[in-house]
Amino acid sequence: MTAHVPRMIPKGRIDSFLESLGVPVAVPVALNGTGDIDFRIMEKPVAATAACAESYVNSAISPLKFAYPQTQVLWRFHTKPEIEVIPPAAPRELAIFGIRSCDVSAFRYLEHFFAREPKDDLFAATAAKILLISVTCQEPDENCFCVCCDGGPFLDRKFDVQLTDLGDSYLFEIGSAKGEAAAATGERFLEPAPDGAIRKKEELHEATLRKFVVTSHMATGIRKLTARKVPDALWRRMAARCSECGGCAFVCPMCTCFDVSDQRETADSGRRERCWDCCQYSGYSREASGYNPRDEKVSRFKRRFTHKLSYYYVQADGVHGCVGCGRCIQACFGKVDMPGVVNALRTETIV
Amino acid sequence: MAVNLYAPDLARITEITSETSDVKTFALEWPGKEMKQRFKTLPGQFIEASVPGVGEAPFGVASSYDRDGEFDITVRAVGNVTRAMHELRPGDLLGIRGPLGNSFPHEIARGKIPLFVAGGIGLPPLRSLIHYMLARKKEFPHLTILYGARTPSDLVYKDELKVWAGDPSIDLHISVDVGEEGWTGNVGLVTELFKEIRPDYSKVAAYVCGPPIMIHFVILKLLELGVPEQMIISTLERHMKCGVGKCGHCAIGHRYVCTDGPVFSYAQIRELEWQAGEKAT
Amino acid sequence: MSEGPGGYLICGYCGCGCGLHLDYDGAGAIGVIPSNSHPVSGGRLCRRGWTIHRTLADSGRIRAPLAKGKREIGWDESFALAASKLKSTPPQQIGIIASPTSTNESLFLLGKLARAVLGTNNIDFPGRQAVVPTQILLSKVGEIACTISDLDGADLIITIGLSDEDRAPQIAPRIWNAIRRGAAVLAVDGRPGDLFSEAALVLSPKPHTDHAWIEAVGARLSPRFPTSGSAEEKRAETGIPAEAIEKTAALIRDAKRIAWIYDASALGRLADARSIVALSRLLGWCRSEKEWVGVLPIVERNNTLGALDMGIAPDLLPGWRSIRDRAAARKVEGEWHVQIPQTDGLDLRSMIDAATHREIRCLLVVGDLGSCADPSAEEIRRALRELEFLIAIESFPSPLTENADLILARLLPGEVKGTYTSTEGRIQATHSSLPSRNPQEWTIFAEIAERLGADWGYGGLEPVMDEIGRLVPEYAEAKAAPPQGVVRSLWGDDAFDSVEEPRPIPVETADTDFPLVLCVERTYQPFHMDSDLLRSPLMRRELAIQPNEPHIFLNPDDARAAKIRDGAKATLRSRAGAGSVRVRCDSEIARGSVILPEIYHGAMGEVLGERPVDAATGRRLYPARAVTVQAN
């Protein structure tokens, strides 16, 4: 891929640019009269910039849900006269505007994960049609720690199109073939980036790095955990605070586990679907015989963090299991979220 | 061609044999030539069988691929899916995804002494390797099989066992935990059958399948008798859903029983447990 | 596709009242989005809240009204049938069993249908009896309620009967916050569980002996604290050693701001009037000596408090007015333009009893009675067999709908518009705009009333809420304060006859033949097996851990003494009878106790035997039996 000369797009032209792409666009919206943000597909991406111009808090559920929904039909069937397997609806083209760097990093990981042999063609077909137009963060939320996880706040690769707010305009950087195609389609709305735009972006990046509240020393966590230097009693104290609600897995953009179930719709037809699952649930590894290799909550708790942090996984996956989006901090009842646990591993105590 | 990774192809049931009061063997064939050619299971691989509307469950393929696209699975009725399968008739279609997983390393047994130790419903997956080796007598001239079940009624492939008993290239020993009226054979745990054989254990390639507790004790016995760790081949069992290394349920450490297994050597199991920081069984 | 049908929802699975949104695709709800902005849930949901969309998607729904024989009929025909049956039955032979999971508006109109149209006070809901002790408590102590957020200001939190986090999951973060900021936590429970693993102290009194430890603690705090019996006697009765009593008293003495949280509907712990009265005295002392004291009763369902506020009781009208208080009743009569029957109606137990004896011929039941502890499932089954006509309003087929003559399709929480009043008294609107082929529950009662000649003419939900606001002023405030409503504190002043010195519930003493004490607790198992919950495949998998056979839980040392292995089958035997159980060991259980999860109380009926009635409240509690466990 050729190195791309960065461009610029005035803020006033973003909506027109998005419209010119000719695909539905998902943008962050405030739901139902509350301050809760979620990415929703808008028929007209009106005022798309409004939600992103200020420092909104990230959505409770990652926009990766468009590639990997909470509930997804795998295939449909009918059983009369004989069994017939019917494909699910074909995925649609989609652009996600306003997605943050943490979620972009996670998206690339999901593509890598689901592409492992045998390849998940359902995911691949869906993800292939999604264009990510990310906006770099200049005002991290109080829970953010992407800077500790190589997940942001500005990316130098992995993005399709990365926008940086320069005031009246966005710096428009292209990072992939999809980004190139989008730039070509919306060419008429783009301008050359002014001199010093890149330097300005780096200054903004530096300034943002100083604004993070949460620190999570991931490398130390990885080391201690891989070296098995975590006392059992500490695992137990942490696990005691877990309510087994499933929230950490559901809000985490890096979590991929799912359950599969059949749903009858009529006497002779139905569907098989997958839905997000959580390894903290006691039934997650329980076998048909009733035997459960992770019967104790502490073994499940340990397993989650081993998966996310242990070196053997990092080797297999290429990255560790956290992008620092901070959603687990919000979702956890007992505050045994990623930074909470990593800090406990580091200090060998829990507050 | 299946709709996607998670959707089955459809095979037809040609014959159903009752092995025990709750175990049946289903003989399946592919209706189309394409699937016949494509579906080639190596011994030890498994399939996921679907009853649409009920669910899906994994079964070791109990036969070798030498049968021109036909294959057997042996199913104990223990949950919703297996109970629904037991209601099916010859001629019915069954959803099949596969072949999945890895296979028994048979090349390690070349020039060595293949020893099979099976417990109860552990015999079906081993049967695929036994059939494979029986079809290649030049490479595998002699097989030793130790098979244990709870009671004589619980023995599977009863007719085939008689054939094996009569085959001079097979040294078959059977034991049951609890005898029944009319049973004149061995009574006792399968580990006691080791008293009846005297191979050179340093040359044995052992394939062990059965309930986890039985595998545990048999492996201890084999190690005690001097079989090298990498020559003890077994299977790991975990709750499985997708069967293709995505849903996470069967993962032990960073390995998936469904794609990196289900076949593992004892040496591999120990390494896996060490990396995972938890037991594999 | 755009934002989706939308609607800010309040979860319907427990009294916490958590906020959430649903996520949609073209076909329906595919996911749950927790509400980060909600003051109680703050972006957290328990495993039940996360699964709401799966229940909505289940195709086993009752899709349309069904007449006998599961014949689908139209709504018009079903309203006509319901109205005609109710019209032709004399009011004293009609019973209405409401659900504490319905909205306030639906409950209000059901109550109005009963009183103002049908002319009966035979109306109740399962679990109402359970909160009677709380009514006593709060009417004696007065304005003392605290919200879930108030817990963050306490330096001592005392919990009673909360080991099962499922009771009120949003309490858990406040407990951990307390631990983190150095506040003390004291748990009173048969088995503390993980939530109390860092509590300063855990007390495990014997069943129905809470009055004894409370009085013992009170006596340490103040020489004038009314008690009966010596400290020695109390300790023996309750099984709490002297050091623990002293430590409890010390924690209370040293604290400045104390919060008390308890399971308001337990039948085995803090369940008897005697214990409630003792607690009310201790709270009274705290109130006069401490900077702040708060009480947070945890009710069972998402709208138990709303049902009470709306007057769903045989002796109450909306706004906690006693039926026998003529002046108060007149206000309601004025609003409803009708005379209300002046004698108390039958409560749930009596209605079921009367139905068994054919004195009640027609019942209208909302929701399923599956998890009702009293009357039991067997008693309900017997009653339904004798009943002439049963109208069931349900979402999914259940044992109740099996017996029904008319089934009206009920909406699920994700589809409902209306308000719920959470366990902390927060009145908040759940406002689904998910399209449904079936009507909102409140319109069902309005329609039946119209067919019976009433002239209500509510054009929408607003006028209903306005009327509620006129009769229960706190609800008028709530209407003006979306999206997360307003917290009200209403437990009625003299809604309850004052109870002087109720007699304690008899507690069997342990001896060599029966050396252990049986405690029926809401722990180890999910606290209620909502049939709706089981419509989610993930929940079916999770709740499958409930084995079909009854389990009991023992301290490992007691199991060893009885020569029983963990997981073995055994016989649980009391002086009343015996039953087959499977034994599990848990080192967190105090020695000398056997815990029977409440979910098995039906199967262990022989062992429990006759249930004692607490004379002061009329509630049937679980007996405190001495038992033995024998290996098979």
Side-chain angles (χ1 to χ4, degrees):
Chain A
M1 195 172 67
T2 53
H4 292 102
V5 175
R7 321 284 281 285
M8 187 263 278
I9 179 165
K11 280 186 179 169
R13 314 198 83 191
I14 276 286
D15 288 344
S16 310
F17 170 79
L18 293 174
E19 217 168 337
S20 77
L21 298 176
V23 301
V25 181
V27 295
V29 295
L31 295 175
N32 300 317
T34 67
D36 302 327
I37 303 288
D38 189 40
F39 283 79
R40 295 285 163 117
I41 297 175
M42 301 303 278
E43 279 165 12
K44 276 203 154 298
V46 171
T49 48
C52 301
E54 315 313 314
S55 60
Y56 72 86
V57 301
N58 207 347
S59 53
I61 296 285
S62 164
L64 271 54
K65 63 174 184 165
F66 292 107
Y68 177 40
Q70 253 181 77
T71 318
Q72 181 177 41
V73 175
L74 298 173
W75 44 276
R76 298 183 180 279
F77 63 86
H78 46 246
T79 53
K80 292 250 168 1
E82 277 201 316
I83 300 173
E84 195 189 324
V85 176
I86 300 156
R92 305 165 51 190
E93 298 274 353
L94 177 70
I96 305 177
F97 177 85
I99 182 172
R100 299 299 191 166
S101 300
C102 50
D103 291 322
V104 172
S105 305
F107 199 95
R108 298 281 97 90
Y109 167 72
L110 290 199
E111 287 174 326
H112 159 86
F113 173 82
F114 282 110
R116 289 210 295 240
E117 284 303 321
K119 178 167 154 158
D120 182 333
D121 44 355
L122 177 63
F123 178 89
T126 313
K129 298 204 165 184
I130 297 178
L131 167 71
L132 304 179
I133 303 172
S134 47
V135 175
T136 56
C137 294
Q138 295 183 30
E139 295 294 335
D141 179 55
E142 59 180 1
N143 285 343
C144 292
F145 61 103
C146 59
V147 66
C148 304
C149 298
D150 207 24
F154 288 51
L155 296 178
D156 52 19
R157 55 197 173 98
K158 295 187 184 178
F159 54 87
D160 292 333
V161 170
Q162 177 170 261
L163 303 179
T164 300
D165 189 342
L166 298 175
D168 293 324
S169 61
Y170 285 110
L171 180 68
F172 186 109
E173 296 176 88
I174 298 168
S176 71
K178 275 185 194 165
E180 264 181 57
T185 309
E187 181 70 49
R188 60 193 178 288
F189 303 104
L190 304 178
E191 290 164 24
D195 286 339
I198 293 294
R199 194 172 9 99
K200 176 90 174 113
K201 172 195 143 189
E202 286 312 316
E203 282 167 11
L204 291 167
H205 187 180
E206 279 298 314
T208 309
L209 293 178
R210 289 193 285 275
K211 293 177 185 172
F212 284 83
V213 174
V214 171
T215 50
S216 184
H217 299 260
M218 303 303 279
T220 314
I222 292 173
R223 256 204 320 276
K224 282 244 170 112
L225 200 145
T226 310
R228 250 150 278 254
K229 274 186 158 57
V230 186
D232 206 52
L234 183 59
W235 280 121
R236 282 185 188 278
R237 282 190 70 198
M238 292 192 286
R241 299 177 187 213
C242 171
S243 291
E244 299 170 276
C245 68
C248 54
F250 301 148
V251 302
C252 178
M254 298 286 278
C255 274
T256 53
C257 290
F258 58 89
D259 191 39
V260 180
S261 54
D262 285 14
Q263 184 71 252
R264 279 193 195 279
E265 287 162 6
T266 68
D268 309 319
S269 71
R271 62 185 188 273
R272 179 164 295 171
E273 58 190 17
R274 66 174 164 193
C275 68
W276 292 351
D277 200 352
C278 177
C279 57
Q280 301 308 291
Y281 286 156
S282 57
Y284 176 85
S285 48
R286 189 175 62 246
E287 295 166 27
S289 62
Y291 171 66
N292 189 346
R294 294 191 196 108
D295 202 23
E296 282 194 285
K297 183 168 71 164
V298 63
S299 66
R300 302 193 280 275
F301 188 85
K302 202 170 146 181
R303 186 253 163 217
R304 174 178 176 76
F305 290 93
T306 305
H307 186 158
K308 296 242 172 235
L309 297 175
S310 166
Y311 176 66
Y312 301 106
Y313 288 89
V314 179
Q315 236 185 356
D317 295 338
V319 289
H320 64 256
C322 177
V323 289
C325 73
R327 290 183 175 100
C328 57
I329 302 175
Q330 190 79 30
C332 183
F333 281 77
K335 292 286 165 282
V336 277
D337 44 66
M338 182 58 79
V341 169
V342 167
N343 285 330
L345 297 182
R346 192 170 61 88
T347 60
E348 291 181 27
T349 185
I350 182 160
V351 177
Chain B
M1 194 50 236
V3 153
N4 58 42
L5 180 66
Y6 304 102
D9 292 295
L10 299 166
R12 202 171 292 282
I13 301 172
T14 54
E15 203 184 324
I16 302 179
T17 313
S18 279
E19 305 283 355
T20 77
S21 58
D22 62 352
V23 178
K24 288 186 182 175
T25 294
F26 295 79
L28 294 143
E29 71 168 8
W30 293 107
K33 203 165 128 173
E34 193 229 325
M35 277 308 296
K36 263 204 232 289
Q37 286 173 346
R38 213 162 42 85
F39 187 83
K40 193 167 150 149
T41 58
L42 297 170
Q45 289 192 301
F46 68 101
I47 52 91
E48 287 267 3
S50 280
V51 179
V54 183
E56 199 180 43
F59 301 100
V61 173
S63 55
S64 165
Y65 64 75
D66 306 292
R67 277 169 51 190
D68 188 30
E70 287 182 359
F71 61 104
D72 295 340
I73 53 174
T74 298
V75 177
R76 161 174 280 146
V78 68
N80 289 334
V81 178
T82 47
R83 276 193 286 267
M85 286 172 74
H86 273 228
E87 299 292 309
L88 297 174
R89 297 274 114 78
D92 285 342
L93 289 175
L94 186 63
I96 301 284
R97 283 195 301 131
L100 302 173
N102 67 350
S103 56
F104 288 118
H106 49 77
E107 61 292 337
I108 62 167
R110 241 181 248 129
K112 304 269 190 199
I113 303 167
L115 167 63
F116 295 87
V117 188
I121 202 83
L123 183 55
L126 288 179
R127 180 177 179 255
S128 65
L129 185 56
I130 293 169
H131 280 199
Y132 181 88
M133 288 184 174
L134 286 173
R136 289 157 185 79
K137 286 217 158 105
K138 277 241 265 293
E139 290 171 75
F140 309 103
H142 193 86
L143 309 180
T144 309
I145 304 173
L146 306 183
Y147 177 33
R150 236 186 41 85
T151 70
S153 307
D154 288 314
L155 293 165
V156 296
Y157 313 132
K158 295 182 178 69
D159 290 340
E160 196 166 354
L161 289 174
K162 293 194 185 106
V163 172
W164 291 351
D167 185 334
S169 73
I170 300 178
D171 192 13
L172 173 68
H173 300 265
I174 299 177
S175 182
V176 295
D177 298 348
V178 176
E180 271 166 14
E181 199 174 308
W183 177 256
T184 52
N186 295 307
V187 174
L189 298 175
V190 70
T191 36
E192 289 169 37
L193 291 174
F194 281 95
K195 299 193 197 99
E196 304 198 359
I197 57 172
R198 232 165 275 283
D200 176 358
Y201 282 100
S202 67
K203 294 205 172 69
V204 155
Y207 301 90
V208 186
C209 245
I213 191 109
M214 169 242 163
I215 294 181
H216 173 78
F217 283 109
V218 167
I219 292 183
L220 282 179
K221 187 83 192 165
L222 291 167
L223 291 168
E224 189 197 322
L225 292 166
V227 181
E229 281 187 3
Q230 65 276 20
M231 299 293 279
I232 301 175
I233 310 299
S234 183
T235 53
L236 285 179
E237 202 176 85
R238 278 282 155 136
H239 173 57
M240 253 184 224
K241 269 289 175 179
C242 72
V244 288
K246 303 291 180 290
C247 73
H249 289 90
C250 73
I252 304 172
H254 64 290
R255 298 245 180 261
Y256 292 82
V257 172
C258 65
T259 52
D260 300 302
V263 177
F264 293 94
S265 72
Y266 181 66
Q268 287 173 325
I269 293 173
R270 299 219 314 142
E271 191 197 342
L272 176 56
E273 286 182 339
W274 188 81
Q275 285 181 349
E278 54 178 2
K279 300 292 290 161
T281 47
Chain C
M1 206 224 295
S2 65
E3 195 193 305
Y8 190 68
L9 300 178
I10 301 299
C11 178
Y13 283 128
C14 88
C16 284
C18 301
L20 61 114
H21 314 266
L22 289 176
D23 202 3
Y24 305 90
D25 68 6
I30 54 162
V32 175
I33 317 275
S35 170
N36 285 355
S37 61
H38 193 276
V40 173
S41 59
R44 299 172 297 269
L45 289 173
C46 75
R47 59 191 176 165
R48 295 168 306 203
W50 277 111
T51 206
I52 284 174
H53 60 296
R54 308 295 311 281
T55 294
L56 280 174
D58 187 280
S59 55
R61 278 301 276 286
I62 294 172
R63 295 186 191 282
L66 300 169
K68 192 93 194 171
K70 303 283 158 31
R71 186 172 56 90
E72 265 194 27
I73 57 176
W75 278 99
D76 195 57
E77 191 184 335
S78 70
F79 288 135
L81 183 53
S84 100
K85 280 296 167 184
L86 290 167
K87 185 175 188 142
S88 63
T89 311
Q92 67 272 24
Q93 295 180 6
I94 296 175
I96 311 276
I97 303 178
S99 171
T101 62
S102 295
T103 60
N104 291 313
E105 296 72 24
S106 167
L107 289 162
F108 179 77
L109 289 184
L110 182 54
K112 188 175 178 182
L113 172 64
R115 270 88 189 228
V117 180
L118 298 172
T120 181
N121 282 325
N122 295 346
I123 183 167
D124 201 355
F125 66 89
R128 181 189 60 87
Q129 286 277 314
V131 294
V132 165
T134 297
Q135 285 173 251
I136 303 176
L137 183 76
L138 292 172
S139 66
K140 282 177 124 22
V141 187
E143 195 56 52
I144 200 174
C146 82
T147 65
I148 293 177
S149 318
D150 287 337
L151 298 176
D152 287 332
D155 56 5
L156 170 62
I157 300 179
I158 303 179
T159 76
I160 305 174
L162 280 190
S163 70
D164 187 344
E165 281 187 48
D166 263 355
R167 299 221 62 68
Q170 297 296 349
I171 301 292
R174 277 79 187 188
I175 297 291
W176 294 118
N177 282 346
I179 302 280
R180 259 192 292 273
R181 61 171 196 275
V185 174
L186 162 60
V188 181
D189 219 300
R191 174 186 84 108
D194 276 350
L195 184 56
F196 301 106
S197 52
E198 304 203 23
L201 181 65
V202 174
L203 303 179
S204 300
K206 297 192 184 137
H208 302 313
T209 63
D210 297 290
H211 58 91
W213 71 263
I214 292 170
E215 286 173 9
V217 168
R220 299 295 299 148
L221 290 168
S222 161
R224 289 192 321 276
F225 197 89
T227 75
S228 58
S230 71
E232 259 307 305
E233 286 169 346
K234 293 211 180 317
R235 286 197 299 268
E237 207 183 331
T238 191
I240 309 276
E243 317 82 70
I245 296 289
E246 185 48 54
K247 185 160 182 195
T248 306
L251 284 169
I252 295 177
R253 204 181 290 125
D254 296 342
K256 296 196 179 63
R257 305 174 59 84
I258 309 178
W260 296 75
I261 319 174
Y262 65 94
D263 176 352
S265 51
L267 292 177
R269 186 170 297 291
L270 203 65
D272 60 303
R274 177 72 191 277
S275 299
I276 282 289
V277 168
L279 181 61
S280 73
R281 292 187 181 131
L282 184 53
L283 288 172
W285 181 89
C286 289
R287 221 169 155 204
S288 59
E289 302 292 320
K290 300 287 157 186
E291 200 178 288
W292 176 85
V293 63
V295 166
L296 176 61
I298 302 296
V299 298
E300 204 167 288
R301 297 294 182 145
N302 64 305
N303 205 22
T304 302
L305 291 198
L308 288 167
D309 291 347
M310 296 299 109
I312 305 300
D315 56 350
L316 285 183
L317 292 173
W320 290 81
R321 296 170 171 89
S322 167
I323 288 200
R324 282 173 269 124
D325 177 349
R326 285 276 82 223
R330 262 196 289 281
K331 171 101 204 265
V332 181
E333 291 177 338
E335 183 69 45
W336 289 353
H337 310 299
V338 84
Q339 291 266 30
I340 294 172
Q342 293 180 29
T343 47
D344 291 355
L346 297 176
D347 64 22
L348 177 59
R349 260 210 83 69
S350 311
M351 278 193 265
I352 293 296
D353 225 17
T356 313
H357 297 109
R358 303 199 171 173
E359 286 151 14
I360 287 222
R361 288 171 38 213
C362 176
L363 274 183
L364 186 153
V365 183
V366 185
D368 84 85
L369 296 172
S371 48
C372 190
D374 181 18
S376 68
E378 182 49 46
E379 287 169 318
I380 295 173
R381 253 197 301 274
R382 258 185 277 133
L384 296 184
R385 278 201 286 268
E386 302 300 323
L387 202 59
E388 204 175 280
F389 202 83
L390 172 62
I391 305 170
I393 305 182
E394 251 288 50
S395 308
F396 290 103
S398 68
L400 197 78
T401 61
E402 283 308 306
N403 285 287
D405 300 284
L406 173 63
I407 303 170
L408 303 178
R410 189 178 189 219
L411 295 185
L412 287 168
E415 301 165 317
V416 157
K417 287 195 233 285
T419 61
Y420 296 133
T421 307
S422 76
T423 202
E424 60 167 4
R426 181 179 298 273
I427 308 165
Q428 43 189 359
T430 186
H431 203 92
S432 173
S433 43
L434 203 56
S436 167
R437 70 183 81 192
N438 290 312
Q440 294 287 328
E441 201 173 287
W442 70 267
T443 65
I444 295 177
F445 304 131
E447 187 64 37
I448 294 176
E450 303 275 331
R451 306 279 178 126
L452 289 167
D455 182 24
W456 290 359
Y458 297 113
L461 201 52
E462 292 261 321
V464 183
M465 295 172 81
D466 288 336
E467 186 173 318
I468 294 174
R470 287 193 293 277
L471 287 175
V472 194
E474 289 80 355
Y475 280 72
E477 253 182 79
K479 186 176 164 237
Q484 286 127 13
V486 98
V487 176
R488 110 284 175 269
S489 178
L490 274 179
W491 277 92
D493 301 317
D494 296 305
F496 209 81
D497 288 332
S498 89
V499 174
E500 278 315 324
E501 205 56 35
R503 279 177 290 129
I505 302 297
V507 174
E508 276 187 9
T509 38
D511 60 22
T512 41
D513 290 332
F514 298 96
L516 306 167
V517 175
L518 183 67
C519 311
V520 183
E521 302 255 4
R522 288 173 170 182
T523 190
Y524 290 112
Q525 301 296 354
F527 81 95
H528 56 61
M529 302 296 282
D530 257 357
S531 58
D532 293 359
L533 255 186
L534 293 174
R535 292 289 166 163
S536 155
L538 255 191
M539 281 299 101
R540 272 202 296 278
R541 181 190 81 186
E542 290 308 306
L543 300 179
I545 62 172
Q546 178 216 331
N548 288 327
E549 52 184 341
H551 274 44
I552 56 170
F553 294 80
L554 285 183
N555 180 289
D557 293 336
D558 286 331
R560 211 169 301 127
K563 298 201 175 35
I564 301 177
R565 265 186 323 105
D566 186 4
K569 278 192 96 81
T571 302
L572 177 68
R573 190 182 299 279
S574 74
R575 295 186 180 104
S580 176
V581 292
R582 198 167 287 276
V583 174
R584 297 300 313 271
C585 294
D586 188 342
S587 52
E588 289 200 43
I589 299 174
R591 284 214 64 174
S593 291
V594 175
I595 297 195
L596 175 74
E598 191 188 37
I599 208 133
Y600 300 125
H601 80 273
M604 288 290 107
E606 301 261 328
V607 177
L608 292 173
E610 175 111 12
R611 288 168 60 171
V613 175
D614 188 14
T617 62
R619 294 172 70 210
R620 286 197 323 160
L621 307 178
Y622 294 121
R625 291 239 178 257
V627 293
T628 180
V629 185
Q630 293 159 337
N632 279 357

